[in-house]
Amino acid sequence: MNTYPQFKRLNYFINKEFQGRYIFNYFLLAIIGSIVFIAVFSFFSSNTLSIVYDNYHLQIGLTPGLLFKKILSTQWLFVVFGGGIVAIVTLILTHRVAGPFYRFEKTLDEMLKGDISKKIILRKKDEGKELALKINTFNYMLQDKLSTMENFNAQIAVSSLHLKKALSDSELGVERFGPLLNEILDSQKNIQAMINSYTFTREKF
């Protein structure tokens, strides 16, 4: 059973709320990291002097004051470009989670409607392959049991009809056992109706 065929999922932004939240959190983490870096650098260099040669001017002063603008401009470049890279990487990584979640949700919705014939198919690098395999295995087992129940139920119906015909032909208690046979046939029809409420593949696995 090949559960993970090779195919490409064209829509990378599957769950906008889920993926957007993670992208925002990682981007926010990058900003906080930059602020913390500036704060730590300023704290440890607050009592040091630096000499800066900038635009043909030589400047001497406290390190945080002289280098603050340079550090800030560098950090903003890091936040903008690094944040963009983080957003792209996060989108790709969350896509491997959001895609399977989407498939799980759709398959479970179909199962709640009685359709257990659907199979969860994930990509090779998707997360949740073990869960998908267990759900697929459960559906296969349930389909097999329903198919077996349907066969047994059909045999009960055939046997009941044969017995009813035999009693009718021999006139040996057809009036006595007829109602009981009718109850059996009614129960058989109810069982078949319950089985028919499910959509499944009627084949042996």
Side-chain angles (χ1 to χ4, degrees):
M1 180 178 62
N2 186 10
T3 315
Y4 323 113
Q6 296 292 333
F7 70 95
K8 292 184 178 180
R9 190 178 291 124
L10 300 179
N11 184 12
Y12 273 81
F13 216 40
I14 298 174
N15 190 327
K16 295 181 180 180
E17 181 180 356
F18 171 77
Q19 292 177 274
R21 183 170 64 250
Y22 269 85
I23 291 174
F24 174 77
N25 289 339
Y26 280 111
F27 189 77
L28 186 63
L29 183 63
I31 295 177
I32 294 175
S34 299
I35 295 174
V36 170
F37 173 78
I38 294 175
V40 171
F41 178 82
S42 299
F43 175 77
F44 284 103
S45 62
S46 59
N47 296 325
T48 61
L49 293 176
S50 295
I51 300 176
V52 177
Y53 184 74
D54 184 26
N55 197 20
Y56 303 104
H57 293 285
L58 185 65
Q59 299 177 358
I60 301 176
L62 293 176
T63 300
L66 291 176
L67 301 182
F68 181 76
K69 291 183 179 180
K70 295 295 182 181
I71 295 175
L72 189 61
S73 62
T74 303
Q75 290 300 310
W76 276 112
L77 287 174
F78 168 76
V79 169
V80 172
F81 291 102
I85 295 174
V86 168
I88 294 174
V89 173
T90 305
L91 179 63
I92 295 174
L93 293 178
T94 55
H95 177 253
R96 297 177 181 177
V97 177
F101 278 0
Y102 175 81
R103 292 305 316 154
F104 293 152
E105 183 178 359
K106 291 298 182 182
T107 302
L108 291 174
D109 286 341
E110 294 297 326
M111 290 172 63
L112 289 174
K113 296 176 183 177
D115 186 356
I116 57 174
S117 63
K118 298 294 187 295
K119 181 173 68 173
I120 299 177
I121 300 176
L122 301 180
R123 301 179 309 164
K124 185 177 181 180
K125 294 184 179 180
D126 279 343
E127 299 294 334
K129 291 188 288 291
E130 294 81 6
L131 179 58
L133 180 60
K134 290 182 179 180
I135 293 177
N136 288 337
T137 302
F138 171 79
N139 283 339
Y140 292 145
M141 292 176 61
L142 185 56
Q143 289 183 76
D144 185 50
K145 292 182 183 298
L146 286 173
S147 181
T148 302
M149 288 175 59
E150 189 174 45
N151 292 333
F152 286 154
N153 195 47
Q155 293 176 10
I156 292 173
V158 172
S159 299
S160 298
L161 290 175
H162 287 169
L163 179 58
K164 187 175 183 179
K165 186 177 184 303
L167 290 174
S168 177
D169 292 341
S170 63
E171 297 182 356
L172 296 176
V174 65
E175 295 181 356
R176 179 181 178 183
F177 296 104
L180 180 60
L181 286 173
N182 289 332
E183 290 182 8
I184 294 175
L185 289 173
D186 289 339
S187 298
Q188 180 271 328
K189 292 178 181 178
N190 291 333
I191 294 174
Q192 186 62 44
M194 293 179 63
I195 294 175
N196 290 338
S197 66
Y198 290 92
T199 302
F200 61 96
T201 303
R202 288 169 167 81
E203 61 182 28
K204 291 294 182 180
F205 299 95

